[in-house]
Amino acid sequence: MPDCFEIIHKDLAGRLGRLTTPHGTVETPALMPVVNPHLMMIKPSMLKKLGAQMLITNSYIISQDPQLREAAEEKGLHALLDFDGPIMTDSGAFQLSVYGSVEVQPLEILRFQQAIRSDVCVPLDIPTPPDVPPERAAAELRETEARLEEARASWEGDLLLAGPIQGSTYPSLREAAARKVREIGFDVCPVGGVVPLMEAYRYRDLVQVVAAAKRGLGSGAPVHLFGAGHPMVFALAAALGCDLFDSAAYAIYARDGRYLTPYGTWKLEEMKYLPCSCEVCSSHSAEELRSSPDRVSLLARHNLAASLQEIELVKQRIWEGSLWELLESRCRTHPRMLDGLKSLESMAEDLEKLDRVSKSTLFYLSPQSARRPEVVRYGRRVERIALYGRVLITDMRPSEEDRRSFDHILSFKPPFGPYPHQLAETYPLNAEVPLEPDREALEQALANARKLIQANPAASFQLRLRDVEDADSLVRP
Ligand code: GUN
Ligand code: ZN
């Protein structure tokens, strides 16, 4: 784990951390607004006022513009942008992926980033698009890795060096790429080549790609998700263990007249109300915003405020251990986001190992709650309950007669299933659940009951449930 990154608190695979750079320490997860040095829609000093701790800009764009280049070389990047906090610079790799070529050598652009004193410098990686033939993905990855080796070998000083992870949509390549990045040793580890996945709402593939990269990296490295700027994805990406995001979206969407929220995007044209209380939305009506000559920059300010606010919410959720609850609601923003969450659920076993054991009261909010790491963990623990004689499992108050005739009486609560009543007030069994369980919760609970029964072949069981007739038959082997 690089010594510039410290993890303070965890929830799922997400974490609160501190990334230390030559221009100060930022708390993560953090959103870095993208600053286009040609077109500063919001001035960096204003970005800071809005709550941005760190920025990202493009060293390639600066280096290709003689005026900007000279100014940056003369007074440094921070004076050029008028921002005294940490700044990350990208290398032009994205221009490479869009235009097919760039007018710069890998070491040259890295030296330039060093010369202008960027806090986090990025070598010129090759962003391989999704779904290319595996031979191409592997060949481009070899080239990226050669450049990363070269970059690291020549690196000295206090500036942080990033090691982008590529590998297209091949989880095995991504995992190997991440292992290589870990082995070479980088201060920040961006997952690259994912913008096309997000643009096409391919959240299931995004989850697979990020999870593969995390497996190769281990949990200690700070991870940047390149190009993740829509607030809708922050909770999901943070839950996977991403620590840094960059947003060009706030400006790009503003230019298109689109209003960002963590629960989706609106066209300003179609809005009658502004459901936000940032400084822009609280001082304009939808109509005033639409007809303002400053509408693009005002909209950009709202978009950024909404994005930064979502980051604060993600942080609070990690802090109190309720990131899963946020995921369940955010992943209902778009049907494909739900695919992303389901893909994350399929990794519940892995998540469960990282997740902390105790947190704030679990809320059962949707069928996705039945696949939470806590429920998976309980499914494993239930087999350890040792029972003998006659056992009653019930969700009703046992009678005096029951107390006399059973050796053990266990309570029953979907999605967990049977549990000793002494645990009723402890995490996670103190969960708030609906009065009427959904099918997923009941099935999970019955599956756990079956496990308990199988683990105790010498005992005899009776299952008695308020709303289920002949519950016994559901768990009979
Ligand atoms: N910006 C968006 N995606 C990428 C990527 O894969 N690499 C780099 N360097 N920048 C990006
Ligand atoms: Zn607003």
Side-chain angles (χ1 to χ4, degrees):
M1 166 152 134
D3 46 16
C4 59
F5 187 59
E6 181 192 1
I7 294 173
I8 293 161
H9 216 74
K10 298 183 191 176
D11 189 17
L12 306 172
R15 57 275 188 92
L16 297 175
R18 288 163 62 81
L19 179 72
T20 299
T21 78
H23 284 84
T25 297
V26 292
E27 221 185 291
T28 62
L31 174 65
M32 301 177 281
V34 175
V35 174
N36 179 339
H38 279 147
L39 192 94
M40 294 198 204
M41 206 179 277
I42 306 179
K43 283 208 192 105
S45 56
M46 176 55 103
L47 292 172
K48 191 172 184 178
K49 270 200 208 111
L50 288 171
Q53 305 175 67
M54 181 170 177
L55 308 181
I56 183 167
T57 189
N58 194 307
S59 64
Y60 178 69
I61 294 178
I62 298 173
S63 78
Q64 296 304 103
D65 178 314
Q67 253 177 345
L68 288 175
R69 181 182 184 106
E70 200 184 307
E73 281 174 336
E74 202 169 295
K75 53 187 187 179
L77 178 63
H78 293 77
L80 177 76
L81 297 187
D82 187 24
F83 185 79
D84 58 8
I87 306 177
M88 179 171 180
T89 41
D90 201 355
S91 53
F94 195 62
Q95 279 70 16
L96 179 66
S97 76
V98 176
Y99 306 112
S101 68
V102 286
E103 317 256 311
V104 73
Q105 293 302 311
L107 275 186
E108 187 188 338
I109 194 65
L110 202 59
R111 292 286 162 264
F112 180 67
Q113 294 174 62
Q114 259 176 322
I116 64 176
R117 294 210 38 87
S118 161
D119 292 276
V120 183
C121 306
V122 180
L124 189 69
D125 55 322
I126 303 178
T128 307
D131 315 313
V132 301
E135 299 76 27
R136 174 176 162 195
E140 291 184 354
L141 182 56
R142 278 195 298 278
E143 176 60 24
T144 291
E145 288 176 349
R147 294 179 186 181
L148 294 188
E149 301 257 25
E150 180 185 52
R152 181 84 264 181
S154 69
W155 202 251
E156 50 190 45
D158 58 343
L159 306 177
L160 276 51
L161 184 61
I165 296 161
Q166 298 291 344
S168 183
T169 24
Y170 300 99
S172 56
L173 273 185
R174 290 279 184 175
E175 188 172 339
R179 251 185 278 117
K180 186 81 179 172
V181 160
R182 180 183 187 166
E183 188 188 299
I184 302 173
F186 288 93
D187 305 304
V188 172
C189 306
V191 177
V194 291
V195 170
L197 292 180
M198 292 185 279
E199 283 175 348
Y201 295 91
R202 291 173 59 180
Y203 296 112
R204 190 169 49 187
D205 295 321
L206 180 71
V207 168
Q208 296 300 332
V209 158
V210 175
K214 290 288 292 188
R215 279 197 298 279
L217 276 176
S219 60
V223 175
H224 170 195
L225 191 60
F226 250 134
H230 197 300
M232 172 171 95
V233 305
F234 296 162
L236 182 63
L240 284 160
C242 298
D243 308 290
L244 293 169
F245 308 101
D246 61 274
S247 175
Y250 77 97
I252 295 170
Y253 279 66
R255 239 178 292 142
D256 290 354
R258 284 188 291 170
Y259 182 99
L260 286 182
T261 79
Y263 33 84
T265 311
W266 272 291
K267 292 198 181 99
L268 185 58
E269 288 307 318
E270 295 169 359
M271 296 181 84
K272 182 154 175 64
Y273 303 97
L274 301 177
C276 167
S277 43
C278 78
E279 38 100 32
V280 173
C281 300
S282 53
S283 60
H284 294 79
S285 67
E287 182 49 42
E288 283 164 354
L289 187 54
R290 248 194 308 276
S291 48
S292 166
D294 300 328
R295 97 182 206 162
V296 173
S297 83
L298 288 170
L299 196 47
R301 253 151 69 187
H302 156 79
N303 285 347
L304 190 64
S307 305
L308 290 167
Q309 189 174 330
E310 178 69 358
I311 293 284
E312 289 303 297
L313 180 59
V314 167
K315 280 156 63 174
Q316 171 61 21
R317 293 299 196 149
I318 295 173
W319 175 250
E320 69 175 9
S322 62
L323 187 55
W324 189 279
E325 278 86 347
L326 181 61
L327 274 182
E328 282 189 56
S329 74
R330 291 300 181 247
C331 289
R332 278 170 171 73
T333 298
H334 190 283
R336 298 285 194 80
M337 289 278 296
L338 195 53
D339 292 334
L341 178 56
K342 287 183 179 162
S343 189
L344 185 76
E345 281 168 19
S346 68
M347 296 169 220
E349 295 277 348
D350 295 330
L351 278 182
E352 192 268 314
K353 287 182 205 122
L354 292 167
D355 200 20
R356 46 196 236 243
V357 174
S358 182
K359 29 186 165 175
S360 66
T361 309
L362 187 156
F363 277 32
Y364 191 99
L365 297 174
S366 79
Q368 269 64 51
S369 295
R371 312 265 180 274
R372 291 181 61 132
E374 294 86 348
V375 178
V376 171
R377 182 185 300 135
Y378 187 73
R380 220 152 359 80
R381 301 237 160 126
V382 78
E383 296 175 315
R384 294 193 214 147
I385 304 175
L387 302 165
Y388 57 86
R390 298 190 64 212
V391 183
L392 174 66
I393 301 172
T394 183
D395 59 359
M396 292 177 274
R397 180 185 281 281
S399 66
E400 282 309 310
E401 169 65 22
D402 289 336
R403 291 188 199 286
R404 277 193 297 277
S405 51
F406 288 97
D407 299 293
H408 300 277
I409 299 179
L410 299 183
S411 309
F412 183 89
K413 179 172 181 171
F416 301 101
Y419 66 97
H421 72 89
Q422 294 89 336
L423 296 183
E425 298 307 320
T426 65
Y427 189 86
L429 290 152
N430 61 344
E432 293 289 347
V433 301
L435 291 176
E436 241 181 81
D438 56 31
R439 190 168 51 81
E440 287 78 1
L442 193 59
E443 275 174 7
Q444 183 63 51
L446 290 170
N448 289 350
R450 260 175 243 123
K451 279 189 189 171
L452 177 71
I453 293 169
Q454 275 160 14
N456 290 278
S460 72
F461 287 83
Q462 188 182 336
L463 182 62
R464 191 194 294 156
L465 301 181
R466 197 181 312 139
D467 296 321
V468 183
E469 253 178 68
D470 193 19
D472 257 335
S473 67
L474 297 175
V475 289
R476 222 167 272 141

